[in-house]
Amino acid sequence: MNPDFDLFVIGGGINGVGIARDAQGRGLKVGLAEMDDLASKTSSASTKLFHGGLRYLEFFEFSLVRKALIEREVLLRAMPHISWPMRFVLPYHKDMRFEGETPTSKLLSTVMPWMKGRRPSWLIRLGLAMYDNLGGRKILPRTRTLHLQTNPVGKPLKSKFKLAYEYSDCWVEDSRLVVLNARDAEERGAKIMTRTKVVSAERVDGLWSIVLEKDGKQRTVAARGLVNAGGPWVEDIVKNTVRLNSTEGIRLVRGSHIVTKRLFDHEKAYFFQGEDGRIIFAIPYETDFTLIGTTDAEHMELNEAPTATQEEQDYLLEFANNYFTQTLTRDDIVWTYSGVRPLYDDGAKSATAATRDYVLSLDTNGPVLLSVFGGKITTYRKLAENVLAKLEDHVGGTGDWTAEVPLPGGEFPVSEVNARIRALKEDYPFLSDRWAKRLFRAYGTDARDILADSRSATDLGQDFGADLTEAEVRWLMKKEYALTAVDVVWRRSKLGLRLNDDQIRAIDDFMKSAA
């Protein structure tokens, strides 16, 4: 039996598409199956940051933090349209505490018991100095100290906060990151199959025989190697799809977020520390909103869709209310979302303490199987490189290449973003400032392909609201695997925050008729 693919990937989240893109670029013939839409689960429900993980320093995860810090600027250069630098303001107060089980907390409790679990300012400054220097920086500025009584970022905060530290990380449009990796993989020759479930996979005559199901119809393909990048389903795939015994498992941890109307009038984010030792972010979101999150809660049922529980919403509101002068209630919440992180089960006592690093499990008892446990969005590209290094002796494919190659639409320097937005508006004067910015931030240089030779908004076809036009929807259907309105307004964009139910139904009706 001749193989259809050198490598077949199960899972259309960020790790799956990152691996598919890297492998195809190395000359392998790649197939990928995702049972739903791309980024339909965890990879569209993150806090949307490329970051080193400042709080992971308290768990002595220095290697993980260093890898992530190095990656921030690599990724920023590869996708300057969907990722951008962001400054984070960390207010300080003496009541801040460690999460009780961190190695740093235990160490300080031993050598400085009079601190009683406090997170001292000198330790925060030390951590930020490490954060500035562990991974090196060429684009992002270093940490600085702010006096909140005189700096505008102190205006939304309660008066008890006098001092803050401002440091750098990066924002990323997470679900667009997934789609652009998939697009690039397919443009290089990979076969990307959405709404396609892997029913079973077994080793037959030196190959993987993989049964796929789409729209109730089944077919079988063969591959020399198999990658299980099923995210929360990785353990289930090992046990029930591939039917192998394994002692490795995952810990399902739910992270929930709330979105409110805009709470402050600047573009910096806040890093809030709680008296329980946890942290949350409050981040400018989609121009008119503020994103607040995340929680860390055990999620016990794999097939139960994660939702932001009332308890989690109240927790985030109370946390934010300890900082902001404006008192937030449930009435201020305009949207919530929640995702399940598939963390490698390292036996940690709490969800917060579980490692965010990844483990790659290789099974060479016949055609190779590699399963991805854990991981975080910032390290997806390095994870893919490490996967291909482990598979090289089994399926071939040599040469790391993704570090210097931009994703579709990102073929320009980070420093030119604002100039290119202005140029887009000059060339298409019917665009408003907001519309031009949204298009370029979503599509980069591809925005001009969507607008083509249009000279007015009417040239772009039906207007669905919030500056979403027929031309853009057709582009998303043709180029970005969108099949439903939900794909368009909640994953390819976040226009669901601005469109009502009737408008979203109109998009669905159009897409069905245009399919």
Side-chain angles (χ1 to χ4, degrees):
M1 179 167 56
N2 293 322
D4 300 286
F5 303 101
D6 295 313
L7 191 66
F8 196 90
V9 181
I10 304 174
I14 187 55
N15 287 333
V17 297
I19 292 165
R21 177 191 184 226
D22 194 336
Q24 188 68 41
R26 293 171 190 250
L28 300 178
K29 188 175 182 182
V30 178
L32 179 147
E34 161 57 44
M35 63 182 177
D36 203 327
D37 182 30
L38 296 172
S40 57
K41 302 295 188 296
T42 304
S43 293
S44 59
S46 75
T47 312
K48 310 182 194 310
L49 300 176
F50 281 150
H51 66 123
L54 180 61
R55 74 175 185 86
Y56 303 153
L57 292 175
E58 291 184 3
F59 294 89
F60 297 165
E61 295 261 22
F62 301 118
S63 176
L64 172 64
V65 174
R66 183 175 184 276
K67 285 188 293 186
L69 288 173
I70 292 171
E71 273 296 283
R72 288 182 312 182
E73 294 194 8
V74 173
L75 298 175
L76 180 59
R77 289 192 297 271
M79 54 198 79
H81 49 327
I82 64 166
S83 178
W84 52 88
M86 185 173 281
R87 296 289 278 175
F88 287 76
V89 176
L90 193 165
Y92 177 75
H93 191 269
K94 62 181 178 60
D95 292 334
M96 291 165 181
R97 295 291 191 273
F98 287 107
E99 198 274 329
E101 295 300 320
T102 71
T104 302
S105 176
K106 291 177 180 178
L107 178 62
L108 279 192
S109 295
T110 300
V111 300
M112 303 174 68
W114 60 88
M115 294 300 297
K116 297 181 180 179
R118 288 190 178 92
R119 197 182 253 136
S121 60
W122 62 264
L123 186 67
I124 293 172
R125 195 64 186 86
L126 175 62
L128 287 167
M130 293 178 66
Y131 205 69
D132 277 343
N133 295 296
L134 266 177
R137 294 169 297 101
K138 294 182 179 178
I139 299 174
L140 303 177
R142 65 170 54 251
T143 298
R144 65 176 185 142
T145 301
L146 304 179
H147 297 283
L148 295 176
Q149 292 167 309
T150 56
N151 193 290
V153 299
K155 185 176 180 181
L157 303 178
K158 292 184 175 179
S159 60
K160 72 175 184 178
F161 298 104
K162 312 293 185 187
L163 182 73
Y165 305 105
E166 183 183 288
Y167 69 96
S168 294
D169 265 323
C170 295
W171 174 265
V172 64
E173 300 289 355
D174 53 3
S175 51
R176 291 208 54 74
L177 173 64
V178 175
V179 169
L180 293 183
N181 269 272
R183 260 189 65 194
D184 197 56
E186 186 162 73
E187 288 171 4
R188 295 174 187 277
K191 178 69 172 176
I192 305 296
M193 295 164 272
T194 63
R195 270 82 175 187
T196 303
K197 183 177 177 60
V198 176
V199 177
S200 66
E202 60 180 334
R203 289 169 165 131
V204 177
D205 297 331
L207 296 173
W208 281 103
S209 178
I210 305 160
V211 179
L212 306 176
E213 182 174 270
K214 182 172 185 176
D215 298 331
K217 298 178 181 178
Q218 292 189 354
R219 65 188 180 98
T220 302
V221 298
R224 295 167 55 213
L226 183 64
V227 170
N228 171 12
W233 282 266
V234 61
E235 185 178 354
D236 180 70
I237 289 169
V238 170
K239 293 177 178 178
N240 299 316
T241 304
V242 183
R243 294 187 291 276
L244 295 179
N245 292 323
S246 175
T247 59
E248 292 172 308
I250 57 170
R251 185 171 194 162
L252 300 178
V253 176
R254 186 175 64 253
S256 295
H257 302 75
I258 59 175
V259 175
T260 69
K261 290 290 187 181
R262 185 168 180 151
L263 300 177
F264 42 89
D265 58 3
H266 58 79
E267 294 304 315
K268 296 177 182 179
Y270 291 100
F271 178 116
F272 292 156
Q273 303 173 86
E275 295 178 14
D276 62 353
R278 289 213 67 253
I279 65 99
I280 66 167
F281 296 100
I283 305 173
Y285 189 59
E286 297 293 320
T287 306
D288 299 319
F289 305 93
T290 299
L291 171 65
I292 300 173
T294 179
T295 60
D296 270 320
E298 301 285 357
H299 190 79
M300 305 310 295
E301 294 297 328
L302 174 63
N303 292 313
E304 179 181 310
T307 58
T309 65
Q310 295 295 338
E311 292 77 12
E312 288 176 301
Q313 293 178 46
D314 289 342
Y315 174 82
L316 293 173
L317 289 169
E318 182 180 0
F319 206 137
N321 284 336
N322 286 332
Y323 280 84
F324 288 123
T325 55
Q326 178 180 342
T327 300
L328 301 173
T329 70
R330 287 185 185 172
D331 291 339
D332 294 301
I333 298 174
V334 298
W335 184 49
T336 69
Y337 70 90
S338 187
V340 176
R341 308 181 192 102
L343 306 183
Y344 182 72
D345 190 354
D346 60 354
K349 291 184 179 180
S350 70
T352 302
T355 182
R356 266 54 176 176
D357 212 347
Y358 56 82
V359 173
L360 307 179
S361 177
L362 196 65
D363 184 322
T364 57
N365 185 27
V368 66
L369 167 69
L370 188 144
S371 296
V372 179
F373 292 85
K376 58 198 295 284
I377 193 169
T378 312
T379 52
Y380 89 90
R381 192 196 64 83
K382 288 298 293 183
L383 181 151
E385 285 186 345
N386 290 338
V387 165
L388 272 298
K390 284 183 173 289
L391 293 176
E392 183 178 329
D393 291 340
H394 306 278
V395 298
T398 60
D400 295 344
W401 63 276
T402 56
E404 303 300 328
V405 179
L407 289 173
E411 306 89 350
F412 59 92
V414 176
S415 60
E416 290 185 6
V417 171
N418 291 333
R420 291 195 176 235
I421 293 172
R422 289 194 298 271
L424 186 69
K425 189 174 185 303
E426 289 172 3
D427 292 344
Y428 297 92
F430 59 87
L431 297 176
S432 65
D433 290 343
R434 175 182 293 219
W435 191 0
K437 182 178 180 180
R438 181 184 72 78
L439 286 176
F440 194 81
R441 278 301 189 187
Y443 306 105
T445 56
D446 285 338
R448 292 177 177 273
D449 291 336
I450 296 172
L451 296 169
D453 57 358
S454 58
R455 298 188 178 276
S456 69
T458 56
D459 292 338
L460 298 172
Q462 186 173 346
D463 179 0
F464 297 105
D467 294 325
L468 178 67
T469 65
E470 178 181 331
E472 185 176 353
V473 174
R474 287 187 182 278
W475 167 274
L476 293 172
M477 294 175 69
K478 180 181 179 181
K479 292 283 192 177
E480 296 196 2
Y481 314 95
L483 294 178
T484 71
V486 169
D487 300 346
V488 170
V489 305
W490 289 117
R491 285 186 285 275
R492 307 308 184 274
S493 73
K494 289 296 180 287
L495 292 175
L497 289 167
R498 306 182 187 282
L499 297 170
N500 60 40
D501 291 344
D502 289 339
Q503 290 171 313
I504 293 173
R505 276 193 293 271
I507 298 169
D508 248 337
D509 291 342
F510 170 80
M511 294 177 74
K512 289 174 184 176
S513 66

